[in-house]
Amino acid sequence: YSMPGLLLCKGKPLDFVFIIDSSRSVRPSDYEKVKIFITNILAFLDVGPEATRVGLLQYGSVVQNEFSLNTYSSKADVERAVKAMDHLATGTMTGLAIQYTMETAFTEPEGARPADMHIPRIAMIITDGRPQDTVEEVAAKARQAGIQIFAIGVGRVDMNTLRVIGSEPHSEHVYLVANFSQIETLTSVFQSNLLMDLVFVIDGSKSLGPANFELVKQFVNGIVDSLDVSGTGTHVGLLQYSSKVRTEFILGQYTSGRDINRAVLRMQYMGRGSMTGAALRHMFEYSFSAKEGARPDIPRVSIVFTDGRSQDDVSKWATKAKDAGIMIYALGVGKAIEEELREIASEPDDKHLYYAEDFSNMGEITDKLKSQICKDMCKCENVMLFQRQVNEQLRRLTQNNILYSPVVVCIL
């Protein structure tokens, strides 16, 4: 797993330990910024004894365990403990902190769940300086023990040090910001896939039948349950089509998964023709408009479901939507036509086209689709984050008539 994917896929529990550099080089004001960053990351974690457990240690010349994985059972309690932390202001024994994490923090007495449960073990190290001890060997042992390590460097941190600490691939686990004021920009990287505008385009034609339409509702709600639906997280809209296209609800109309689940269950089956092309046109022209709740600079995704041949052309409007940056997943069941599904789906087909012979096989492809959405949206959001940073920096430099390197955050 990569970190952004883990954060998106709600329902996947983690054992998550923060390792905070509390050395004297970290100024008091910067120390407070680290606390804010931790709180921002916590906002996107489902914290609880059966969900994600959170521990935190800080280190200077010694390691100080602030709280263990089994200390707190609610996000509010964790946040209060973070705010109450005191700055150590001593040395920088990073290797010692990693060793403590491996030998103590991720043990069952400290709240880590047994290895045979396959709960991902995540350690996030935030440091602003060179270690006063060796880190390469102990970091390698920690990774070999199954701990996924994210290394965040601030300021003049030695790049080689970050690389020997962080897990592979470094592009997903090693990050550098110029100063503590910019550490908040990394929040977008770690929350990446939580921010998404997703529109379902659902076939309600007569070939489906009322019983199978109820199964389609379950499919939609299964996808929704894997997302973090909220005002600041994922927004979901839904179209049903038959001979006509009907907007069931628009993006942002509902701000919780439970409300969307209810709206989906209330849908009335249309049960007539199959105008998939018209549905794609409506999705392209209206569903991702600002008027219907689409947000700027947020990845746009559509999941198109069909069970048979369309009575109109799908290629034109699918192409327009994809050219406009909308990522389309095509899901076909039964008599769905492979050629049509290929015209609808984004490339590559093996990641965006799914087919089941009948509705009894939908559960398996639903799981595959959820996993692929996680992976694709990580990449998409990371690129968008980088583009936004470059564009903003260039805008500022143009205003000041200054020529300077535009990259603020380096994703290594």
Side-chain angles (χ1 to χ4, degrees), residues 31-106:
Y31 187 71
E32 294 304 311
K33 291 185 177 77
V34 173
K35 290 184 180 182
I36 292 171
F37 173 71
I38 294 169
T39 302
N40 289 341
I41 296 295
L42 288 171
F44 299 100
L45 296 175
D46 182 17
V47 177
E50 304 306 316
T52 291
R53 299 181 183 182
V54 179
L56 187 147
L57 58 95
Q58 58 175 331
Y59 69 95
S61 300
V62 297
V63 176
Q64 180 167 302
N65 186 42
E66 294 294 331
F67 50 89
S68 302
L69 289 166
N70 57 3
T71 304
Y72 299 115
S73 57
S74 74
K75 186 181 300 184
D77 287 341
V78 172
E79 289 175 349
R80 279 191 288 270
V82 170
K83 290 176 182 177
M85 289 193 310
D86 291 324
H87 188 195
L88 299 180
T90 54
T92 313
M93 301 296 284
T94 309
L96 186 65
I98 296 172
Q99 184 173 351
Y100 181 94
T101 303
M102 175 178 61
E103 296 180 350
T104 305
F106 281 115

Side-chain angles (χ1 to χ4, degrees), residues 197 199 235 250-253 282-298 300 326:
D197 285 346
V199 174
H235 289 187
I250 63 173
L251 289 166
Q253 182 171 338
H282 189 101
M283 178 267 287
F284 168 69
E285 292 187 335
Y286 300 104
S287 299
F288 288 106
S289 66
K291 183 178 180 181
E292 294 208 358
R295 297 167 290 179
D297 297 326
I298 297 297
R300 297 179 174 185
I326 299 170

Side-chain angles (χ1 to χ4, degrees), residues 148-397:
Q148 188 178 174
I149 304 178
F150 292 82
I152 299 177
V154 182
R156 297 180 179 179
V157 180
D158 177 62
M159 198 59 63
N160 289 329
T161 299
L162 291 178
R163 289 194 179 105
V164 299
I165 292 173
S167 295
E168 295 276 2
H170 289 152
S171 61
E172 295 178 0
H173 296 88
V174 179
Y175 301 86
L176 174 66
V177 292
N179 54 56
F180 282 93
S181 295
Q182 292 174 2
I183 197 170
E184 290 183 20
T185 62
L186 289 181
T187 305
S188 298
V189 176
F190 295 115
Q191 77 180 56
S192 59
N193 295 336
L194 294 167
L195 291 174
M196 175 171 56
D197 285 346
L198 170 63
V199 174
F200 288 93
V201 179
I202 300 302
D203 187 345
S205 62
K206 61 184 177 183
S207 61
L208 202 67
N212 286 336
F213 188 69
E214 294 303 312
L215 295 177
V216 174
K217 291 182 182 181
Q218 293 178 25
F219 156 73
V220 172
N221 280 339
I223 299 292
V224 169
D225 289 344
S226 73
L227 303 170
D228 180 62
V229 178
S230 65
T232 58
T234 296
H235 289 187
V236 178
L238 189 145
L239 306 176
Q240 183 187 170
Y241 70 93
S242 178
S243 299
K244 297 182 179 180
V245 182
R246 184 169 74 206
T247 299
E248 301 288 351
F249 49 89
I250 63 173
L251 289 166
Q253 182 171 338
Y254 300 111
T255 56
S256 75
R258 180 176 297 180
D259 287 341
I260 291 175
N261 291 159
R262 290 170 177 165
V264 169
L265 293 175
R266 287 196 301 267
M267 285 197 307
Q268 297 297 308
Y269 174 45
M270 297 174 79
R272 300 185 68 184
S274 184
M275 303 292 282
T276 312
L280 291 169
R281 177 178 182 175
H282 189 101
M283 178 267 287
F284 168 69
E285 292 187 335
Y286 300 104
S287 299
F288 288 106
S289 66
K291 183 178 180 181
E292 294 208 358
R295 297 167 290 179
D297 297 326
I298 297 297
R300 297 179 174 185
V301 182
S302 183
I303 298 176
V304 179
F305 172 85
T306 180
D307 86 320
R309 183 186 295 275
S310 177
Q311 295 173 334
D312 58 357
D313 176 61
V314 301
S315 178
K316 176 182 177 180
W317 294 105
T319 299
K320 283 181 175 289
K322 290 182 285 190
D323 287 347
I326 299 170
M327 185 180 295
I328 304 180
Y329 297 86
L331 175 59
V333 175
K335 296 181 180 179
I337 306 302
E338 182 178 351
E339 182 181 351
E340 271 189 12
L341 295 174
R342 292 189 187 280
E343 290 176 339
I344 294 170
S346 294
E347 294 184 349
D349 291 344
D350 63 336
K351 294 183 179 179
H352 299 94
L353 190 158
Y354 298 84
Y355 174 79
E357 291 186 357
D358 56 52
F359 284 87
S360 64
N361 296 326
M362 277 193 67
E364 181 180 346
I365 60 175
T366 300
D367 290 340
K368 291 179 180 178
L369 177 58
K370 288 190 286 190
S371 176
Q372 189 59 48
I373 290 173
C374 285
K375 295 175 184 177
D376 279 352
M377 297 314 302
C378 289
K379 297 173 185 176
C380 180
E381 179 63 16
N382 282 339
V383 171
M384 294 183 70
L385 171 67
F386 177 78
Q387 290 173 337
R388 287 200 298 271
Q389 290 162 349
V390 171
N391 291 339
E392 177 63 16
Q393 188 75 349
L394 287 174
R395 183 186 66 78
R396 291 176 181 173
L397 297 176

